Amino acid sequence: MTFWMAYCYDELCSNNFKIRLLSIEAASNPRDIINVKLRVVDLDLKHKKYVALSYTWGRPSPRLPDTWDNNQATKTIIVNGVAFEVRYNLFAALKTIRQKWDLRYDWWIDAICIDQNNFIERSSQVSRMREIYAHSDHTLIWLGPSMERTQMAFQEIVSLSKSWHERCESLQRIPVKGKEDIESYAQILKREVIEKYQSPAWRALQHLLSRSWFERVWVRQEFCASGQVLVQCGDDCIPWTHLMDIRTLFMQHIACANQATGDDPISASEIVKSMYGATQTLYNLGEMSIEYRSRDTGTELPSLVYILSQLRSTRATDPRDKVYAALGLAREDERIPVDYRLSPEAVYTQTAQKSMQSTKTFNMLAYCNYPPSMDTLPTWVADWTDGSCSRREVLPATGVRRYIRKHQPLYQVLETSDFYVRFDDDNRTMIVKAFILDHLSFISTESSYRIPTQQTDLGPTTLAARAQYVEQLSKQDRDTAEVILNFKWLREWVDFETNLNHGGAPQVDRERNTQSRDAGVERFDGPTYRDTGQTLGEAYVRTLCADASFDSKKGHAVRIPDTVEGISFMMSDDARMPLEISSRLEGRSWAMSTKYMALVPAEARIGDKIVLIQGSQAPFILRPSGAEFQFIGLAYVHGVADGELWKEGDRILVLEEI
């Protein structure tokens, strides 16, 4: 980007951490050119209050012309008497600030206060971004210029916030309890949702929450580090707390709509869910802020891999920022130096190495997607720009936990937990100690399970889109029943084995192969799966859900108990596997090796190796490539999750470097 070259920055002193602040000069005519003064201050010393601006460099709304995204489409302002080019959205923000704000405030704005062409300065300033926002008196979120019905959206936010605070405590609960409170809540739901659905105010709110700022990667750190936060769009400005009230209000409606008595509570629930996509960003921002600020109460910061996973679907102009924007929110021992002289591939590789070496885990590998979208990226390095795999839920074995040491691992495939990893000199090859357990011999034909994407656009086609979404969910339920309750993939494997005339598989006791039939469906309640004592049908279902389910009370995944009640429910015709288990099948295949059932990445192929790596909690799928291996992904293998291999007599697994 060359449009900053008209202005020449003075170099910042490196002895203390210094930043530049700008002041905006008043103008009697709104059309006058914007004139600002830059000065250098020491961030660690007390100085005049300043406001930090949080905004998006490109187009703030998809309704604005494409030129707003053009790097070369700029407006001229004056900085310390010299011409300086800024992009359209920042220019609009500066004009509004000059007209609406107290100009006695100084401002920190990255595009002006950082010499973007000086990679050393840029790296230094970005590494302290969290502190810059934390030291500010306010943070102003600039959503862009006002458009049609923007003011209506702000009025709706203020109205809903007021409505939330006027409720009594019993009407703020999730769930609402008591007949009288449920009846009162039904009236609130009708007033706030049913009567407003498809109204101009509802649509205006939807469009406001779909502005580009909410998708930007840096906003998480900027928001979490800030104290007082204001939101401005055009001339309208409100406290961020009003948006958090909206978040809480919709969380209640999503959870409680079906409780409401009255006209049509089921439709009300569907209407509320149509807003879920837009309010999800608000929910995630609130959760991340709570986690970050809880460090003051002694809670450790989340792991870097968790923060990166939360940011994977966000957008960044520079792919390196997908990592750099996460560093200030994560544990200090996992952070890497910020250096914009490095390529994105080098940054991602360095991040993977640092995470594994600092945490003594292979959790980072759970987020790799084969093949990497960057051609030069090693297969064991996650590509954080690849949002296409952000919907693939990570298996509960590793990676998903916010805190590295908070919970005991669900699985421990090897008795030894000693962590071992090293890298070759060019940082492209990872060397581990591992045992090749088996190879894949069968993979289900329907290898990529899809969860429909909910429509969040409330435009003219909303009703048709919603009807299509409901039909997709209905089809998902039918597919789920076919795959899980009717043992679709297990029956495919039995037919495969029969056609090959194998005469049976090692894990099936043919003397007990008395598959009963219920309405023409094989129940697989006779064959025994290896030494687990489980029927083939039970082992199949446990494999599909990785033998784990989310416990809402504990807030994390737990193993499915090996009880008669649990087994009976799993195998009953009335059972409906939760959405979390259905989503776990997305992007994965059910597979068989010569000995085991497994849940593997959809990219796995027959002949790929099931490998147990020393220091890992779960197996991985690797593909031989000459003398080395390519990393395909994390797997769940039923019957080895609890170190069973170490319990097979005196057998010793030989772990070798691969």
Side-chain angles (χ1 to χ4, degrees):
M1 299 180 188
T2 61
F3 51 88
W4 288 292
M5 294 304 292
Y7 179 80
C8 185
Y9 286 91
D10 293 329
E11 186 174 348
L12 291 176
C13 177
S14 60
N15 294 335
N16 299 306
F17 185 65
K18 297 184 182 294
I19 62 172
R20 299 183 185 92
L21 295 179
L22 65 86
S23 57
I24 304 173
E25 293 187 0
S28 57
N29 189 334
R31 295 183 178 180
D32 287 348
I33 193 166
I34 296 172
N35 204 321
V36 306
K37 299 289 186 182
L38 276 181
R39 66 188 183 95
V40 177
V41 300
D42 191 329
L43 186 63
D44 298 325
L45 299 178
K46 293 183 179 179
H47 51 266
K48 185 179 178 180
K49 295 179 180 178
Y50 68 93
V51 182
L53 187 67
S54 178
Y55 67 107
T56 180
W57 284 21
R59 183 169 50 168
S61 169
R63 294 187 162 192
L64 289 168
D66 292 343
T67 51
W68 286 63
D69 276 332
N70 188 342
N71 289 348
Q72 305 304 319
T74 62
K75 295 283 189 178
T76 302
I77 66 172
I78 302 299
V79 176
N80 289 357
V82 180
F84 190 100
E85 301 299 315
V86 297
R87 291 173 67 171
Y88 283 10
N89 190 37
L90 178 53
F91 184 77
L94 291 170
K95 285 187 65 175
T96 302
I97 291 168
R98 187 173 66 175
Q99 292 173 325
K100 300 296 181 180
W101 276 75
D102 184 348
L103 297 183
R104 290 176 294 180
Y105 276 101
D106 281 341
W107 290 79
W108 186 86
I109 302 174
D110 60 352
I112 302 175
C113 296
I114 299 176
D115 183 355
Q116 300 290 336
N117 285 320
N118 184 331
F119 290 130
I120 296 177
E121 177 183 313
R122 183 180 169 196
S123 300
S124 173
Q125 295 277 299
V126 167
S127 68
R128 303 286 291 271
M129 193 81 78
R130 176 175 54 86
E131 297 170 66
I132 293 173
Y133 280 87
H135 279 71
S136 67
D137 186 63
H138 292 82
T139 291
L140 177 65
I141 295 171
W142 170 252
L143 297 181
S146 179
M147 302 181 69
E148 183 184 3
R149 295 176 178 166
T150 297
Q151 188 175 36
M152 184 182 292
F154 273 69
Q155 291 171 346
E156 183 68 10
I157 292 171
V158 172
S159 174
L160 289 174
S161 175
K162 181 180 179 182
S163 173
W164 175 256
H165 287 288
E166 286 178 346
R167 297 188 201 178
C168 62
E169 184 179 347
S170 61
L171 290 176
Q172 293 181 336
R173 293 174 180 168
I174 301 177
V176 178
K177 297 180 179 180
K179 182 178 179 180
E180 291 185 4
D181 282 342
I182 291 177
E183 291 176 352
S184 297
Y185 171 71
Q187 294 303 311
I188 294 173
L189 181 69
K190 182 177 181 180
R191 183 176 67 250
E192 293 181 348
V193 177
I194 298 175
E195 293 179 351
K196 290 187 177 181
Y197 181 64
Q198 292 281 43
S199 70
W202 184 280
R203 293 152 74 101
L205 179 59
Q206 165 68 24
H207 290 310
L208 184 74
L209 295 179
S210 65
R211 293 234 173 184
S212 302
W213 182 88
F214 294 98
E215 301 176 346
R216 181 171 165 263
V217 67
W218 277 106
V219 305
R220 273 67 177 173
Q221 180 173 263
E222 294 167 0
F223 169 72
C224 290
S226 300
Q228 299 185 57
V229 182
L230 300 172
V231 182
Q232 185 147 358
C233 188
D235 293 342
D236 296 292
C237 187
I238 58 173
W240 174 265
T241 52
H242 285 6
L243 283 173
M244 287 293 97
D245 292 338
I246 298 297
R247 164 187 175 269
T248 308
L249 180 145
F250 274 100
M251 282 174 57
Q252 185 196 47
H253 286 330
I254 289 169
C256 302
N258 284 332
Q259 286 187 272
T261 57
D263 297 332
D264 193 350
I266 296 178
S267 294
S269 175
E270 293 176 2
I271 291 170
V272 170
K273 288 179 180 178
S274 72
M275 281 295 288
Y276 181 75
T279 57
Q280 182 66 20
T281 299
L282 294 179
Y283 175 80
N284 291 339
L285 282 169
E287 287 293 295
M288 194 168 286
S289 175
I290 292 170
E291 290 173 349
Y292 175 77
R293 291 170 183 174
S294 67
R295 74 195 192 286
D296 296 332
T297 62
T299 302
E300 65 176 323
L301 285 173
S303 66
L304 177 61
V305 68
Y306 170 74
I307 298 295
L308 289 170
S309 69
Q310 297 298 295
L311 300 182
R312 196 164 200 173
S313 60
T314 59
R315 296 184 179 182
T317 304
D318 188 326
R320 293 166 292 193
D321 286 339
K322 296 298 288 284
V323 169
Y324 291 157
L327 298 179
L329 299 173
R331 293 175 8 156
E332 189 170 353
D333 62 345
E334 294 184 67
R335 299 174 191 170
I336 62 171
V338 176
D339 189 349
Y340 282 100
R341 295 170 297 182
L342 298 178
S343 67
E345 292 84 352
V347 172
Y348 289 0
T349 301
Q350 189 180 51
T351 300
Q353 292 174 331
K354 180 68 172 180
S355 174
M356 286 186 271
Q357 292 169 335
S358 297
T359 64
K360 304 298 182 185
T361 72
F362 290 106
N363 291 3
M364 184 68 76
L365 298 180
Y367 295 91
C368 296
N369 196 41
Y370 182 89
S373 58
M374 294 184 184
D375 294 338
T376 58
L377 205 64
T379 58
W380 50 270
V381 176
D383 179 3
W384 300 107
T385 65
D386 187 3
S388 64
C389 56
S390 62
R391 284 165 49 81
R392 178 187 294 186
E393 178 185 316
V394 173
L395 294 181
T398 58
V400 294
R401 296 198 179 94
R402 295 171 173 85
Y403 309 108
I404 296 297
R405 304 180 182 90
K406 189 171 183 179
H407 307 297
Q408 291 296 318
L410 284 183
Y411 317 121
Q412 194 67 54
V413 295
L414 294 177
E415 188 177 83
T416 174
S417 59
D418 294 337
F419 180 82
Y420 176 88
V421 67
R422 64 185 180 87
F423 306 93
D424 66 358
D425 293 338
D426 63 4
N427 289 324
R428 295 200 54 80
T429 303
M430 180 176 71
I431 298 106
V432 297
K433 291 184 177 180
F435 169 71
I436 298 177
L437 176 66
D438 204 349
H439 68 271
L440 300 181
S441 59
F442 171 85
I443 299 176
S444 59
T445 55
E446 191 175 328
S447 62
S448 188
Y449 201 84
R450 296 294 301 171
I451 301 298
T453 302
Q454 182 168 340
Q455 299 290 332
T456 57
D457 181 18
L458 298 186
T461 62
T462 297
L463 294 178
R466 184 160 62 88
Q468 183 183 16
Y469 177 66
V470 171
E471 172 58 27
Q472 285 180 300
L473 288 177
S474 178
K475 183 179 185 302
Q476 174 195 314
D477 288 340
R478 295 194 298 270
D479 291 344
T480 301
E482 180 69 14
V483 168
I484 299 176
L485 302 180
N486 294 344
F487 307 97
K488 176 180 179 180
W489 292 337
L490 184 57
R491 287 187 281 112
E492 286 181 1
W493 170 73
V494 170
D495 292 342
F496 174 79
E497 289 286 310
T498 302
N499 291 336
L500 289 180
N501 295 317
H502 280 183
Q507 63 271 31
V508 177
D509 180 355
R510 282 294 173 180
E511 293 181 1
R512 299 183 60 197
N513 187 2
T514 56
Q515 301 159 346
S516 64
R517 288 184 172 269
D518 181 5
V521 177
E522 293 174 329
R523 303 298 299 170
F524 296 100
D525 54 4
T528 301
Y529 181 76
R530 296 192 59 78
D531 297 328
T532 63
Q534 299 169 358
T535 67
L536 208 59
E538 179 189 345
Y540 170 77
V541 176
R542 286 184 179 271
T543 302
L544 291 180
C545 63
D547 204 20
S549 184
F550 185 79
D551 188 317
S552 58
K553 293 182 179 179
K554 294 182 179 179
H556 59 84
V558 297
R559 295 291 291 276
I560 296 176
D562 190 12
T563 61
V564 174
E565 293 79 7
I567 296 170
S568 298
F569 173 75
M570 288 172 57
M571 306 303 292
S572 70
D573 289 332
D574 295 330
R576 286 296 180 268
M577 307 305 286
L579 180 60
E580 59 149 328
I581 295 179
S582 295
S583 63
R584 199 167 294 163
L585 298 180
E586 181 173 341
R588 292 195 171 87
S589 302
W590 180 82
M592 290 290 299
S593 71
T594 61
K595 301 176 183 177
Y596 302 98
M597 291 184 187
L599 193 62
V600 300
E603 298 78 15
R605 298 291 179 263
I606 292 176
D608 287 349
K609 307 297 183 182
I610 301 175
V611 177
L612 309 183
I613 297 179
Q614 179 174 311
S616 175
Q617 301 167 18
F620 295 101
I621 303 299
L622 303 185
R623 182 170 299 163
S625 177
E628 299 179 344
F629 292 85
Q630 292 181 318
F631 183 85
I632 306 301
L634 184 71
Y636 171 78
V637 180
H638 195 58
V640 303
D642 298 311
E644 288 88 344
L645 292 181
W646 292 92
K647 300 171 184 176
E648 295 182 1
D650 297 326
R651 179 183 177 187
I652 298 176
L653 300 181
V654 179
L655 300 179
E656 299 177 336
E657 285 191 353
I658 63 171

